Amino acid sequence: MSDTSASAPRLLDRAEEAAYELRAQEGSIWTGSRLLIGIVAFVFASLAFAYFYLRSSNNSGLWRPHGVTAPTMIGAPIFAIVVASALLNLYGTLRMRKGLSVDWEVSGWTAVGGLLLATGLQIWELTRLPFFPGSSGYSSTFIGWAALNSALLLTSAYWLETLLARAIRMRKAVAEDGGPARSTAPPARLFRASLEGCSQYVLFAAVINLLFWVLFYVVV
Amino acid sequence: MAISTHESVGVGRPGGTPPPGAAVRRRSAWLGQHMGTAALAAVIGYTIGHYVGNSFANGYENVAASGQNDVSNVLALTLAVVGWLLGSGALNYPIAKLVGREPAPETEETGVGRFFRYSLDHKVVAMQYVIAVLLFLFTGGLLAMAVRTELLSPTTHYFGPGTYIALVSEHGTMMMMMATSVITGPIAGWLLPLMIGSRRMAFPRVEAFSLWTFIAGYMVILTALPYGGFPTGWTGYAPLQTQASGGMDSYLVGFIVVGSGMIAAGFNIAVTIINYRAPGMTWSRLPIFVWSLLAVASLLALATPTLATGCLFGILDRTAQTAFFVDEHGGSSFLWENLFWFFGHPEVYIMALPGFGIVGEILPVFTRKPLFGYRVGAAGMLGVALLSFFVWQHHLFQSGINPDMRPLFMLTTELISIPTGFIYLTAMGTLWKSKIRFEVPMLFALALYFNFLLGGISGVYLSDVPVNVTVHGSFFVMAHFHYTIMGGLIFAFFGGLYFWLPKMTGKVMNKKLSLIHFWMMFIFFNATFFPLFIVGLLGQPRRVFEYAQRLQGLNDFSTISAYLLASSFIVFTINFAWSIFIDPKPAPANPWDSLGLEWQVPTPVPYNNFDRIPLILADPYHYGEPVHTPVADLGVPAVALAGAGGGGGGPSGGLGAGAPAVDGEGGASDV
C-alpha cells in the first residue's frame, strides 16, 4: 500500500525511495496474488454455473443418464493428493516463517511432485472414462473440469517450483543475512512475499478441488 | 502462474533497471528477438499444429464425415500464439524462472527498433498499443465499409448472404476486441504511472504480455476469413456456434487470446493503482481518469474469465465432442448466452468508463474550472461497474428467460442509469457557466456527451421489456450500441490522443487537419447512425442483407455518410503521419496549461518517469483559484506550471498560464 499518511509531507530521500518502492513491490505481490485468486475463482464459478445450469435444465433427460460417474478410484486420489500437497506446503511455509527454510524446501518439492502427479492422474483419468464426452451434461462438464483443473494444478506447481529454484539460487547470496527465511535483502523479502501468495494460491486450488470433488463424485 | 519479483538492483524499476542518474547500457534494438522472429515462430507453430492435428484427428468419424478438422485448426492457432510469444521473448523470463534465474537487467533502448520489440517500458508498450489499436480499428472499419456497400441496394448484391454475415461477424468481433483495449492499452498504459507519481507499472512483463497477446488475437481473428468466416455475429450464439465452419475456431481461440490480454491488463492496472501511488496521492486526490481505470480493471479482471471459460467450452464442443451447448445431448445453447453476456454486459462498461475518465480530465482543463462533483463522479463509475454484473439477462429477454425474471432485470438495467447520471452530472456541472476553450480535444469531449446521450437514452428504452420485444434484433439496437461505443469510446480515444499526443510524442498535430477530422467524424458519424434508429423502428433486421425497398433511401444516405465517416479517418492518418513523422513540429511542454501531474515532467519523459518520487500535495483540478496549493513537489525544476486562473488566468507560484515553458526551464521546485 502506498504510504500516504506522512504527518509532515516532504520528499523522500534516495534511501527512503528504495524502501518505498520495495514496499510497493511487496504490496503488489500481495495484491496481485489475491486478485489472481479472484480471477481464477471466476473461471471455476463459470464451470459451477454450467454444472448447475445443465443439471437444473436436464435437457432431453440427459443431465446424468443411469447415474454415470467419473472413476472414483482415480478422482479420490487426485483430490487427496492436491489437499495433502497444499497442506504440506502450508506447513512448510509456516516453518519458513520460523526461519527453517530447509523444512519448506523439502515440503515444497514434495508438494510440487504431488501437484504434478495429480495433474498426470487428471489427464490419465480422461482415458478411463466410462462415458463419451458428449453423452450428457454431466460428462461435458466433467471434461471441462478436467481441463481447467489440470491447468490450475500445473500453474500451482509452476509457481511453487520457481520459488524453490529461486531459493536454491539465492541461498549463498543471503546466507550471512539469515538465509531466504530471515534475510532483509530485497530479493529475499520479495521471495517471501511471493511465497505467501503462492501458498494462498495452492490452498485455493485445494478448496476448488474439494468443491468439485463433491459435485462430480459425491453428489448423485 | 507466478507473480514476478525482481532483484535488488533498481528495485521498483522495470526489470531491475539501474537507478536514475546511473549509466544506462544501450544496445541495438534489432539484435535478438523482435516482431520478425515472433512472426516466424508463429508460422512455425501454426504449421506444426496443423500437422499434428491432421495426423491424429483426420481419422475421427466426425472429421471424416464433415471434412472439417477443428482439432487441427485449434491446435494450429494455439501453437501459432505460443510461437508468437516465444519468438517475441515474452516467455524468456517465465522459462528462466524454472531454474531460479533472476530477470536480466533491463536496458534502455533507443531508436525506432524498440517499438518492434518486447519492451518493459510502459511508454514504449503504450505506443505499440497505439499502432496495434489503429490497425484493429481500420481493419474493422474496412469491413464495415463492405457491409454498408452491400446495403446500398436491397436487390442488387455484391456479396452472397453467407459472405455478408461473415463480414458482419468479423467486423463486430474485431471492433469489440479492439474496443476493450483502445484506452486501457495505449492511453492508460502510457499515463497511469505518470498520473499517480510512479516510475513504472506494477508488473511490466504482464503489461507487455497483454500487448503481445492483443496483437496475436488480431492475427487469430483475421484467420477466420480464410477459414470461411463465422455466421454468428460477435455474440457467437449457440447452436449456430457448434454448427459453424472453421472460422468459428478462430473466433473462440481469438477471444481466449484477447481475453487473456484483457485480464492481464486489468490485473496490472488494479495492482498498480493500489500499490504504486506516490506519497500524498490519497484516494481523494486520484485523477478521475484513474478512478475510471480502477473500475474498468475490476471488470476486466473479473468478467473476462467467464468469456474465456465459455470459449473453452465451445472449443471442447467442437473438438472433444462434448455437449455443453448441444440441447439434444444434455447441454444447453442458453448456457453460452448466459456465460457470454455475464461478460458481455460488463464489457459495455469496460468500453464506456475509460472514455468518461478521459473527458473528465479534459473538461476542467478547457473550462478552467475544478471538476464538479469529483466524488460523485468517482462513485458513479464504481456504481456502474458494480451494477454491470447484475444486468446481463436483459440480453435474453427475447430468447428464453423466465418471463417472471424480466421485471427484475429491467429494474437493475434501469438502475444503472442513476450512476451514469452521476457521471453526466459532473460534466454538466463543470461546463455550467464556464468559458470554454474549443480546442480539438474539448470538441471531442463535448461530442462524446452529445453522442452518448442519444445512445444512453435509447438504451433506457431498450431496457424496458415492451420496447425490447418490439425492436429486438433490429437496426435500432445496432444504432444504439454504435452511439454508445463509437460515439462514446472512440470519440474519447481521439480526444485523449489529441490531448496527450504532445506529451507522448513531443510533437504537435496540425490543428487545421485535426479540426477537419473532428467535424467530419462528428457530422458523418451522426449522419451514418441516426438514420439506422429510424430504419430499425421501421423493421429492418440486423445481419440480413436484404431489406424492404421503401428503406433504401435511408440506407443509401447512411452508406454514403459511412464512406465520408471513413474518409475522416484518412484525414486523421494523414495528419498523424505528417505531424509526427514527416514534418514534426515540437510541442510546447504544456500546451493546454494542464495541472495534471503527467504534464509536469520533461518531454520526452525520462525512462524512469520521475527522477525523484514526487510528493503529491493536491488534486489536479484547482483551476480558477487565484491562489492554490501546488499539485506536487517533484524535487527538481518543474518544466512548466500551468496557470489555474479562469480563462487562462494568472500565475500560480511559477510560470503563468498561457506561457508554456521550454523543457527544464520552469525554475520552481513545487508544481
Side-chain angles (χ1 to χ4, degrees):
Chain A
M1 279 288 191
S2 295
D3 177 14
T4 54
S5 58
S7 55
R10 62 171 180 80
L11 273 179
L12 304 176
D13 62 34
R14 294 287 184 196
E16 288 171 328
E17 280 189 354
Y20 181 85
E21 292 191 318
L22 181 60
R23 280 202 305 279
Q25 276 200 298
E26 286 179 310
S28 296
I29 294 168
W30 194 96
T31 315
S33 54
R34 271 66 181 179
L35 186 54
L36 180 62
I37 289 172
I39 291 166
V40 180
F42 268 78
V43 170
F44 284 93
S46 305
L47 178 69
F49 178 84
Y51 178 95
F52 287 111
Y53 193 88
L54 297 185
R55 185 187 173 105
S56 60
S57 302
N58 194 19
N59 278 340
S60 311
L62 283 174
W63 158 246
R64 195 173 179 179
H66 315 301
V68 292
T69 305
T72 312
M73 292 301 286
I74 305 175
I78 293 172
F79 162 65
I81 291 169
V82 172
V83 171
S85 299
L87 292 176
L88 195 59
N89 181 55
L90 181 67
Y91 171 75
T93 308
L94 293 175
R95 300 288 286 173
M96 171 74 108
R97 281 185 198 160
K98 293 182 178 175
L100 301 164
S101 58
V102 176
D103 288 18
W104 168 71
E105 285 180 24
V106 173
S107 63
W109 282 115
T110 313
V112 168
L115 290 167
L116 289 176
L117 177 64
T119 310
L121 283 173
Q122 184 71 81
I123 294 167
W124 182 60
E125 188 180 23
L126 289 174
T127 67
R128 293 289 175 272
L129 295 178
F131 45 74
F132 184 73
S135 58
S136 66
Y138 173 88
S139 63
S140 299
T141 46
F142 183 83
I143 300 292
W145 157 248
L148 291 173
N149 193 38
S150 301
L152 176 69
L153 298 179
L154 263 184
T155 53
S156 305
Y158 168 78
W159 192 350
L160 194 50
E161 195 280 339
T162 59
L163 287 169
L164 288 158
R166 178 160 295 176
I168 291 171
R169 277 195 186 263
M170 75 163 60
R171 207 183 283 156
K172 274 186 188 170
V174 295
E176 292 179 3
D177 191 25
R182 295 258 191 240
S183 169
T184 54
R189 286 178 57 178
L190 296 177
F191 160 79
R192 289 197 295 273
S194 191
L195 175 59
E196 290 290 333
C198 178
S199 296
Q200 297 291 324
Y201 187 76
V202 178
L203 265 184
F204 165 75
V207 171
I208 289 290
N209 268 266
L210 169 65
L211 291 176
F212 281 92
W213 182 70
V214 170
L215 288 181
F216 282 112
Y217 296 97
V218 178
V219 176
V220 179
Chain B
M1 189 177 297
I3 303 287
S4 149
T5 58
H6 304 295
E7 76 272 43
S8 56
V9 177
V11 160
R13 297 178 190 89
T17 53
V24 176
R25 186 164 62 89
R26 295 169 198 277
R27 64 175 175 177
S28 166
W30 296 107
L31 292 175
Q33 292 160 300
H34 47 71
M35 203 166 276
T37 54
L40 182 66
V43 171
I44 294 170
Y46 184 89
T47 310
I48 293 172
H50 245 297
Y51 177 78
V52 173
N54 281 325
S55 300
F56 76 83
N58 259 354
Y60 289 1
E61 197 176 313
N62 62 312
V63 174
S66 67
Q68 181 179 316
N69 191 338
D70 294 305
V71 175
S72 166
N73 292 348
V74 170
L75 260 183
L77 294 171
T78 306
L79 290 188
V81 174
V82 172
W84 171 259
L85 294 174
L86 268 172
S88 69
L91 301 182
N92 290 359
Y93 179 55
I95 292 170
K97 281 183 81 167
L98 282 168
V99 290
R101 291 248 165 85
E102 300 283 349
E106 174 68 3
T107 53
E108 183 182 352
E109 293 167 347
T110 54
V112 180
R114 69 194 151 133
F115 295 106
F116 296 89
R117 287 173 52 91
Y118 184 83
S119 172
L120 301 186
D121 182 346
H122 69 94
K123 298 179 287 295
V124 173
V125 175
M127 292 309 289
Q128 291 170 317
Y129 250 123
V130 170
I131 302 302
V133 156
L134 289 175
L135 194 64
F136 243 114
L137 179 68
F138 294 157
T139 312
L142 281 174
L143 292 163
M145 292 306 102
V147 170
R148 284 311 319 173
T149 301
E150 171 56 41
L151 293 174
L152 270 171
S153 165
T155 49
T156 305
H157 299 301
Y158 298 95
F159 309 109
T163 308
Y164 175 76
I165 191 64
L167 290 171
V168 169
S169 303
E170 186 79 7
H171 159 75
T173 308
M174 289 201 83
M175 288 303 205
M176 283 297 181
M177 286 177 168
M178 176 277 299
T180 55
S181 302
V182 69
I183 288 176
T184 52
I187 296 181
W190 212 93
L191 290 166
L192 175 59
L194 288 162
M195 282 184 152
I196 62 172
S198 171
R199 288 173 172 156
R200 52 173 284 183
M201 295 291 284
F203 298 109
R205 284 179 181 79
V206 173
E207 191 197 18
F209 172 82
S210 78
L211 166 83
W212 288 82
T213 48
F214 181 71
I215 302 171
Y218 170 79
M219 292 186 291
V220 169
I221 196 63
L222 265 187
T223 62
L225 289 176
Y227 276 137
F230 52 97
T232 59
W234 89 279
T235 51
Y237 268 19
L240 208 48
Q241 178 194 110
T242 320
Q243 302 156 357
S245 65
M248 205 72 225
D249 297 321
S250 304
Y251 170 93
L252 294 167
V253 175
F255 253 131
I256 289 180
V257 173
V258 170
S260 307
M262 289 161 64
I263 294 168
F267 170 89
N268 201 21
I269 288 171
V271 173
T272 304
I273 295 171
I274 292 169
N275 292 286
Y276 274 87
R277 286 169 293 122
M281 181 59 83
T282 58
W283 290 106
S284 60
R285 289 174 181 167
L286 219 52
I288 197 76
F289 180 50
V290 178
W291 273 112
S292 76
L293 290 177
L294 188 61
V296 168
S298 63
L299 295 178
L300 282 168
L302 300 180
T304 316
T306 309
L307 172 75
T309 311
C311 287
L312 174 70
F313 294 165
I315 289 171
L316 288 174
D317 273 7
R318 293 171 63 83
T319 56
Q321 302 293 296
T322 55
F324 281 100
F325 308 135
V326 185
D327 296 59
E328 299 82 0
H329 293 274
S332 171
S333 49
F334 293 122
L335 173 61
W336 166 263
E337 297 182 17
N338 278 285
L339 290 174
F340 179 83
W341 285 116
F342 187 82
F343 153 80
H345 205 81
E347 152 92 339
V348 173
Y349 298 102
I350 287 170
M351 295 183 285
L353 286 175
F356 282 121
I358 283 183
V359 294
E361 293 296 327
I362 290 174
L363 290 189
V365 174
F366 294 100
T367 56
R368 312 312 291 172
K369 283 179 68 184
L371 188 66
F372 177 80
Y374 164 86
R375 285 167 196 251
V376 172
M381 287 170 177
L382 295 182
V384 166
L386 183 67
L387 274 176
S388 71
F389 280 110
F390 301 97
V391 300
W392 86 96
Q393 286 263 343
H394 69 224
H395 292 278
L396 282 76
F397 279 160
Q398 283 290 85
S399 48
I401 183 178
N402 181 342
D404 293 339
M405 294 294 282
R406 286 170 165 180
L408 172 67
F409 283 94
M410 185 169 88
L411 181 68
T412 55
T413 307
E414 290 182 351
L415 271 179
I416 217 164
S417 61
I418 295 174
T420 310
F422 287 2
I423 300 170
Y424 257 78
L425 183 69
T426 60
M428 298 306 114
T430 308
L431 290 170
W432 182 253
K433 290 186 176 175
S434 63
K435 292 177 183 173
I436 300 174
R437 288 192 294 168
F438 289 100
E439 297 284 354
V440 176
M442 186 63 175
L443 290 172
F444 274 99
L446 294 173
L448 174 141
Y449 285 104
F450 176 83
N451 297 335
F452 200 90
L453 191 64
L454 290 175
I457 288 177
S458 57
V460 175
Y461 282 109
L462 280 168
S463 70
D464 285 329
V465 175
V467 178
N468 192 290
V469 168
T470 307
V471 298
H472 181 87
S474 76
F475 264 74
F476 186 90
V477 179
M478 206 276 275
H480 153 71
F481 70 71
H482 277 82
Y483 259 92
T484 55
I485 297 168
M486 186 169 182
L489 178 80
I490 302 300
F491 274 76
F493 170 67
F494 281 110
L497 267 190
Y498 281 114
F499 185 63
W500 281 297
L501 266 180
K503 173 55 68 180
M504 295 165 81
T505 63
K507 291 151 193 165
V508 66
M509 295 279 274
N510 181 291
K511 188 170 180 179
K512 190 177 280 183
L513 286 173
S514 304
L515 284 169
I516 293 171
H517 170 218
F518 167 75
W519 284 112
M520 283 183 73
M521 187 170 159
F522 179 66
I523 291 169
F524 295 117
F525 164 77
N526 281 283
T528 300
F529 291 103
F530 195 82
L532 300 184
F533 278 124
I534 301 168
V535 298
L537 284 174
L538 293 173
Q540 183 173 337
R542 295 166 68 187
R543 300 175 184 169
V544 180
F545 81 144
E546 287 181 332
Y547 54 87
Q549 187 80 51
R550 65 196 167 95
L551 300 178
Q552 186 174 1
L554 281 169
N555 270 290
D556 287 354
F557 181 79
S558 174
T559 297
I560 292 163
S561 301
Y563 293 153
L564 293 166
L565 174 61
S567 59
S568 77
F569 293 110
I570 297 174
V571 174
F572 167 79
T573 309
I574 292 170
N575 189 10
F576 187 79
W578 185 264
S579 305
I580 306 298
F581 302 114
I582 299 170
D583 185 24
K585 302 240 176 354
N590 190 350
W592 319 115
D593 303 327
S594 170
L595 287 178
L597 184 58
E598 72 275 17
W599 291 101
Q600 319 305 336
V601 293
T603 306
V605 177
Y607 184 62
N608 287 309
N609 297 347
F610 300 96
D611 179 55
R612 305 290 305 275
I613 294 179
L615 176 67
I616 310 300
L617 302 170
D619 70 61
Y621 303 118
H622 287 269
Y623 296 100
E625 297 174 6
V627 178
H628 70 90
T629 313
V631 172
D633 182 355
L634 296 178
V636 291
V639 296
L641 191 66
S652 49
L655 291 175
V662 178
D663 289 359
E665 292 182 1
S669 64
D670 285 351
V671 180

